[in-house]
Amino acid sequence: MNINAVSRKKRFAILLTLGLLSAIGPFSIDMYLPAFETIALDFETTIEHIQLSLTSFFIGIAFGQLIYGPLLDKFGRKKPLLFGLVIYIVASILCAYTKEPDHLIFLRFMQALGSCSGMVASRAMVRDIFEPREAAKVFSMLMLVIGISPILAPSIGAFVLTNFDWHIIFVILAVLAFFILLSVIFILPESYQGNKEMSLRPKYIITDFWQVFRNPTFLLYAAVGGFASSGLYAYLSGSPFVLQRLFGLSEAQYGAAFALVASSLILATQLNRVLLNRWNSESISKKASFLQASAGILLVIITLAGGMNLYILLGLICLFLCSQGFIFPNTSALALAPFGRLAGIASALLGCIQMALGALTSASVSYFHNGSMVPMVAVMCASASIAYLIYFLVDKRRSHT
């Protein structure tokens, strides 16, 4: 498919659809974050118990992507994508009617299995259509849609909680997914017809995944991007308690703070498109990784010293997420660049690594919960520091060869 041959209006519609597919998972997370306390009260349980529905969502996204990768490479991009969106819609409706917290945890897992089809397919389609440098710019554009999610979603969630109840959140998610489904059917072209000769037998699928995983370029950028992203998920998991309980923000104020922080991510992704005209993706992501690790270290030091207040916290988190806006699009494009035939599997494995680390950090924040913000900032710091350490060690190894 030659996207440059289509009209500007058609190109915009295609990129918007790809952005919405990328954002459906994050939107599903952000929209119900302000409702944690309300859901816990409704189910007569603890916030920590409800946080497990976030962890189960991360697990579902992480391992669900491994299912879609081979399907996307064998059957093309659209058929598995449509199947996943249907699963998401059904699971969202069931979430709206569930009456048990453990049922919600399971249904969020199923909802994630559906949403991850959009995340895998959108990355693979970008790889199908664009060369690496252009792909990094497109990923930055998709991040614009993803970045709007933390601005709109918590505010919508807070509005729903104020005027209706938390069940309506999942009804809205189902309706949103239905319109995305229509966009995929009528707007999104098929970028890869699939390889009918490809075997779906476990032995051959494992061989294909291993071929991708052992590629040095993929492994480097998947690891850096994965650890950098996991710090964001630590923030998502810990922020409802830290901002609402410790700093006393209302649901509406939490949504506003969340939007402020997310704006730094949006700004960075769009600035990244400009910087790519002058520097390459590796150089930009490496500098951003250092900046993110520095922000993480400052979060820990100031918290342990007792000097943290709301403004310093939000400022450093803005810096942390701003760095992520440079790291994600560049490492994603670099990780997927070596692959053509196995782009679906590479996209799936990349997403799995990112979300598995996200699930781990989210669970860690919950597990080490001690009534303070230390677990959240410590996990954020560790994630960003490991990402930069990988870059540092690779550079050191290159200098000795």
Side-chain angles (χ1 to χ4, degrees), residues 153-177:
S155 299
I156 294 173
F159 175 82
V160 170
L161 291 172
T162 301
N163 296 278
F164 304 98
D165 62 54
W166 65 266
H167 302 84
I168 303 301
I169 290 174
F170 292 101
V171 174
I172 294 173
L173 290 174
V175 172
L176 175 64

Side-chain angles (χ1 to χ4, degrees), residues 93-113:
I93 294 172
L94 292 176
C95 281
Y97 288 97
T98 186
K99 299 184 182 299
E100 296 290 337
D102 290 338
H103 292 171
L104 178 65
I105 292 169
F106 172 75
L107 289 171
R108 286 287 288 174
F109 174 80
M110 294 303 298
Q111 192 185 37
L113 289 182

Side-chain angles (χ1 to χ4, degrees), residues 62 173 284 289 377:
L173 290 174
I284 295 172
S289 181
V377 298

Side-chain angles (χ1 to χ4, degrees), residues 20 24 27-28 31 85-97 111 156 160 167-184:
L20 292 172
I24 190 170
F27 202 87
S28 303
M31 191 169 172
L85 288 173
V86 171
I87 292 177
Y88 178 90
I89 292 169
V90 172
S92 298
I93 294 172
L94 292 176
C95 281
Y97 288 97
Q111 192 185 37
I156 294 173
V160 170
H167 302 84
I168 303 301
I169 290 174
F170 292 101
V171 174
I172 294 173
L173 290 174
V175 172
L176 175 64
F178 177 73
F179 283 109
I180 294 174
L181 178 70
L182 294 179
S183 297
V184 171

Side-chain angles (χ1 to χ4, degrees), residues 239-388:
S239 62
F241 174 82
V242 171
L243 295 178
Q244 290 183 279
R245 286 284 183 88
L246 297 186
F247 287 101
L249 299 188
S250 67
E251 291 167 345
Q253 289 172 329
Y254 173 78
F258 209 87
L260 171 67
V261 170
S263 64
S264 64
L265 178 65
I266 294 176
L267 177 64
T269 58
Q270 300 317 294
L271 180 58
N272 182 61
R273 296 169 58 196
V274 177
L275 295 182
L276 281 166
N277 293 323
R278 188 169 183 180
W279 291 286
N280 62 39
S281 291
E282 181 178 13
S283 176
I284 295 172
S285 59
K286 192 179 299 183
K287 290 178 174 61
S289 181
F290 174 78
L291 188 64
Q292 188 181 56
S294 300
I297 292 170
L298 285 174
L299 279 169
V300 171
I301 291 175
I302 296 174
T303 297
L304 294 179
M308 186 63 74
N309 60 44
L310 179 62
Y311 301 105
I312 295 175
L313 177 66
L314 293 179
L316 288 175
I317 292 176
C318 280
L319 183 61
F320 192 94
L321 293 193
C322 178
S323 305
Q324 180 64 21
F326 293 109
I327 296 170
F328 174 82
N330 290 298
T331 56
S332 295
L334 290 167
L336 296 178
F339 307 101
R341 180 181 68 86
L342 298 177
I345 284 178
S347 174
L349 189 56
L350 176 65
C352 176
I353 291 171
Q354 291 174 345
M355 288 300 171
L357 290 172
L360 177 63
T361 54
S362 173
S364 297
V365 172
S366 296
Y367 180 79
F368 292 108
H369 178 77
N370 62 358
S372 75
M373 71 178 74
V374 171
M376 183 186 79
V377 298
V379 174
M380 290 173 66
C381 175
S383 301
S385 298
I386 292 172
Y388 181 69

Side-chain angles (χ1 to χ4, degrees), residues 97-166:
Y97 288 97
T98 186
K99 299 184 182 299
E100 296 290 337
D102 290 338
H103 292 171
L104 178 65
I105 292 169
F106 172 75
L107 289 171
R108 286 287 288 174
F109 174 80
M110 294 303 298
Q111 192 185 37
L113 289 182
S115 70
C116 66
S117 65
M119 302 172 72
V120 181
S122 60
R123 283 193 302 263
M125 295 180 87
V126 170
R127 170 59 185 82
D128 292 338
I129 299 169
F130 302 97
E131 55 85 22
R133 183 182 287 265
E134 186 66 20
K137 293 182 179 181
V138 173
F139 278 125
S140 292
M141 294 177 66
L142 300 190
M143 282 294 290
L144 174 61
V145 181
I146 297 173
I148 292 174
S149 168
I151 294 178
L152 292 181
S155 299
I156 294 173
F159 175 82
V160 170
L161 291 172
T162 301
N163 296 278
F164 304 98
D165 62 54
W166 65 266

